Amino acid sequence: MRTKTTQTRALMLSAASGLAMAWPALGAPPASLDLVPGDTPLVISVRDVGALIDKLDAAAGAIGLEGQARMAPQMMNMMVSMPGIDRNGSMTVLVYPPENGQGDPDVLVVAPVSDYNEFASVMGGDASAAITTLNMQGNEVRARNLNGGYALLGDNADLVGAYNAENGRLAAHAQRLGTNGARIADGADITIIADIPILSPMLREGMDAGREQAAGQAEMLGGAGNNLLSLSERAQEAVLRDARVGVMGLSVTDVGLALDFGLQFKDGSESATYFTQQGTSEQLISRLPAVDYYAAWAIDTSAPKLRELGESVKAAAGEQGADAKQNVGMAHLIDRSTGLSGVVGANPGLMMTGIMANTVIYARTDDAGGLIDEFKQTLTAADGSTVGGVSYNTEFDQGAKTIAGVPVSAYAINMDVQLPDSAGAGGFGPDPQMITQAMFGAAGKGPRGFVAAADGGMVHTFSRSEAFMTKAIESAKGGTGLTSNAMLERVLPLMPEGRTFEGYLALDQVGKTVGPFLLMMGVADQVPSFDPMPPVALGVTTDSGGVRSRLIVPNEVIKTIYTLAPLAQQMGGMGMGGVTGE
């Protein structure tokens, strides 16, 4: 059974975490942080409690939540509308983990009050006492007047009494947040700040537990799995060694929900030296053709230190040298370009032409001709070889066509996959040939497409569609690109500036393709219409000695996922029926 102390701490934490979704508004840290020591292990700070609740309620309406799912904002509104509470004030929760890692953390709350005397009296306390006891939903909470419109709440009377309530501490927070942390805290309505050095013992304990579980899975994958596990461990150790602070921003916008995450590394640390330059991935995404798409991405690889980091990651992962026969694919693009972007275009003829039929990769380079020659040499070297049970038969036709006024070469990579003897007559998972046809169409045994030089880059498609290649060349030359997509335009203003990486997933196009297939296969008796909606978006920056990412999930996507719940239950029920035989 939970103790009163545990219940009280849970009450205070849940009140704060239940508010944790809001969008950048004012361009300054939450005001209540001014009363919070700069070395607090974990801080959860709300900029404007009332505004946040209003946004959550509006978002719930836009998403279409009903009944109990709609009650959370209404219940929170009742809590902050009590007499003496400043509904539109800033609130901060301070969390102190137990020193030995056992038991519950100590929790303090810097709460906004419009009238401390009224607030304390309504809660059954003595406002004139230095520290009074309040009754909050049957739990005893100690309270202290901090003056200036704030009260301090906690279940530990000694901690409440010893709290240093001086203000003027925003400078200390700015110091540890650094540039990347401040970019989040200076805008988000909810900011979560974790002091990595202070929390490192607890974090290490969690990481160690995760490693034990991952080790068993890595053994099943053999050498590759062990290499990945080693790489993961090195990354975790680097964070514990070099990170100064981790920051999260939880947000609600008119477009949808957003989550920011940032790491600021210690000045002069090894990790900080890798992240020093802003990226231009937004320029790369604009070089992709304006088409309906399943997914799109771009990465700027021009920063020397990031390229150095990439090489060390490849070495740690145990990558096999530069043997051309083992690198049939995109390795040459990564090594000899300063940035890549790609789009997997939507394909109504999926069953015949494959998922990759409308896919193109753009490589930013000053030597497109050299890239094409290297690709040709790679295919020539791989022709007739067998590597890892895969036999290659390749083709390359230099200058096969002229498309959009540009000389274009055609290529093909045919792959025959030999199943291991242990597969037996019973089969060995999915048929590799079926997977290849699903990816690249029924016409061949692998990718076949065009490559061509364009202004400042190279275009690489995965089908022989001249119409699609025309669009790809024109956008690569600076014509109408993917960023003109109306749905994409809705999320772009919310993305962080100076992005090194960005990615987009269009659930509407995925649903339009998968939905009819589910109906045809009898897996579902109805699916949503999948009207046009903004994509799920991710943007990452890597400058000023840290990393920052932002994930945006539009309201329409959340609403669609919500409406898909009955379908998921139906599919799950069918699966259960197949297992039990009932």
Side-chain angles (χ1 to χ4, degrees):
M1 180 178 295
R2 305 175 85 192
T3 64
K4 283 286 186 179
T5 297
T6 301
Q7 291 174 341
T8 302
R9 291 168 177 168
L11 174 67
M12 292 188 290
L13 277 173
S14 62
S17 60
L19 298 170
M21 290 178 183
W23 178 245
L26 303 180
S32 55
L33 273 179
D34 199 46
L35 293 168
V36 176
D39 59 353
T40 305
L42 184 64
V43 169
I44 306 170
S45 193
V46 182
R47 177 182 304 283
D48 183 325
V49 176
L52 176 57
I53 293 172
D54 293 341
K55 291 178 182 179
L56 286 171
D57 188 57
I63 293 169
L65 297 182
E66 300 176 352
Q68 290 186 344
R70 189 74 184 272
M71 291 179 62
Q74 298 170 0
M75 293 180 65
M76 287 188 288
N77 188 54
M78 292 176 59
M79 292 175 61
V80 300
S81 297
M82 297 177 63
I85 294 179
D86 181 1
R87 183 180 186 277
N88 291 106
S90 172
M91 178 182 75
T92 293
V93 178
L94 300 80
V95 182
Y96 301 90
E99 292 185 5
N100 59 4
Q102 303 295 321
D104 298 317
D106 284 314
V107 178
L108 294 176
V109 178
V110 176
V113 292
S114 57
D115 188 326
Y116 176 80
N117 292 341
E118 184 178 22
F119 166 69
S121 298
V122 168
M123 292 294 179
D126 179 5
S128 63
I131 298 177
T132 188
T133 300
L134 309 181
N135 185 332
M136 300 184 70
Q137 298 185 6
N139 297 284
E140 291 186 351
V141 177
R142 274 65 179 181
R144 172 183 162 195
N145 188 2
L146 298 182
N147 298 313
Y150 291 99
L152 183 66
L153 309 177
D155 61 2
N156 186 322
D158 293 336
L159 200 59
V160 171
Y163 186 78
N164 186 344
E166 67 181 15
N167 55 18
R169 288 163 160 167
L170 286 180
H173 288 289
Q175 173 69 25
R176 72 167 174 169
L177 286 171
T179 301
N180 289 281
R183 285 170 177 163
I184 298 173
D186 288 358
D189 279 324
I190 284 285
T191 302
I192 302 175
I193 305 171
D195 192 299
I196 303 300
I198 295 177
L199 295 174
S200 60
M202 182 178 65
L203 294 173
R204 182 174 295 281
E205 183 178 343
M207 289 178 178
D208 289 343
R211 289 173 184 172
E212 292 179 5
Q213 182 177 6
Q217 298 173 345
E219 289 183 5
M220 297 174 60
L221 297 174
N226 291 327
N227 287 337
L228 289 174
L229 178 60
S230 175
L231 184 61
S232 173
E233 291 176 350
R234 289 182 58 179
Q236 292 174 7
E237 289 299 325
V239 169
L240 293 181
R241 181 191 69 232
D242 295 342
R244 184 168 70 221
V245 67
V247 185
M248 291 181 64
L250 301 171
S251 314
V252 173
T253 76
D254 292 338
V255 174
L257 303 184
L259 185 149
D260 292 282
F261 174 77
L263 279 174
Q264 186 67 49
F265 295 105
K266 301 171 186 174
D267 295 342
S269 66
E270 178 184 356
S271 297
T273 63
Y274 289 124
F275 307 109
T276 59
Q277 183 174 319
Q278 288 193 337
T280 58
S281 62
E282 66 276 8
Q283 297 177 10
L284 295 164
I285 207 82
S286 69
R287 295 298 184 110
L288 299 173
V291 295
D292 291 333
Y293 63 95
Y294 301 131
W297 56 271
I299 182 169
D300 183 344
T301 60
S302 61
K305 293 299 291 185
L306 276 182
R307 294 183 74 89
E308 179 183 322
L309 177 62
E311 290 300 320
S312 65
V313 167
K314 287 194 292 184
E319 183 178 278
Q320 305 291 330
D323 186 345
K325 293 183 180 180
Q326 298 189 26
N327 284 301
V328 179
M330 302 293 106
H332 64 295
L333 297 183
I334 298 172
D335 293 338
R336 296 187 56 175
S337 71
T338 60
L340 298 170
S341 58
V343 60
V344 182
N347 180 18
L350 179 66
M351 301 305 293
M352 291 300 298
T353 55
I355 296 173
M356 304 289 285
N358 292 329
T359 296
V360 60
I361 289 178
Y362 171 79
R364 182 175 60 193
T365 177
D366 294 331
D367 186 19
L371 269 179
I372 294 173
D373 287 342
E374 185 172 348
F375 183 47
K376 176 182 178 181
Q377 294 168 16
T378 299
L379 296 190
T380 300
D383 189 32
S385 67
T386 299
V387 179
V390 180
S391 297
Y392 293 97
N393 178 268
T394 66
E395 304 169 15
F396 193 91
D397 187 358
Q398 188 87 36
K401 293 178 177 293
T402 297
I403 300 177
V406 173
V408 170
S409 298
Y411 75 92
I413 304 174
N414 298 303
M415 299 177 290
D416 283 311
V417 180
Q418 303 298 320
L419 294 177
D421 294 338
S422 59
F428 187 72
D431 182 354
Q433 193 63 38
M434 292 181 62
I435 296 175
T436 301
Q437 290 182 358
M439 294 294 294
F440 304 108
K445 297 181 178 181
R448 53 184 55 231
F450 296 120
V451 291
D455 295 358
M458 188 196 77
V459 175
H460 185 132
T461 67
F462 290 78
S463 74
R464 296 285 179 87
S465 169
E466 295 187 24
F468 184 67
M469 186 63 172
T470 298
K471 290 182 179 180
I473 291 174
E474 290 176 347
S475 61
K477 288 181 176 180
T480 302
L482 188 64
T483 49
S484 66
N485 180 287
M487 293 295 102
L488 185 61
E489 285 181 329
R490 289 184 57 189
V491 297
L492 286 176
L494 303 180
M495 295 286 275
E497 296 182 357
R499 299 184 292 279
T500 297
F501 173 85
E502 57 193 279
Y504 306 92
L505 176 65
L507 182 62
D508 54 341
Q509 297 299 328
V510 173
K512 287 178 181 179
T513 300
V514 175
F517 179 75
L518 295 178
L519 292 173
M520 181 181 68
M521 297 297 293
V523 177
D525 53 19
Q526 62 179 356
V527 294
S529 60
F530 291 103
D531 295 328
M533 63 185 76
V536 177
L538 174 67
V540 180
T541 65
T542 54
D543 69 301
S544 302
V547 180
R548 181 174 59 123
S549 64
R550 172 172 294 170
L551 177 68
I552 302 166
V553 186
N555 288 330
E556 294 91 332
V557 171
I558 300 173
K559 183 176 182 179
T560 299
I561 294 174
Y562 182 64
T563 59
L564 283 173
L567 175 60
Q569 293 175 353
Q570 177 188 349
M571 294 173 65
M574 293 176 63
M576 288 295 291
V579 172
T580 62
E582 296 178 357

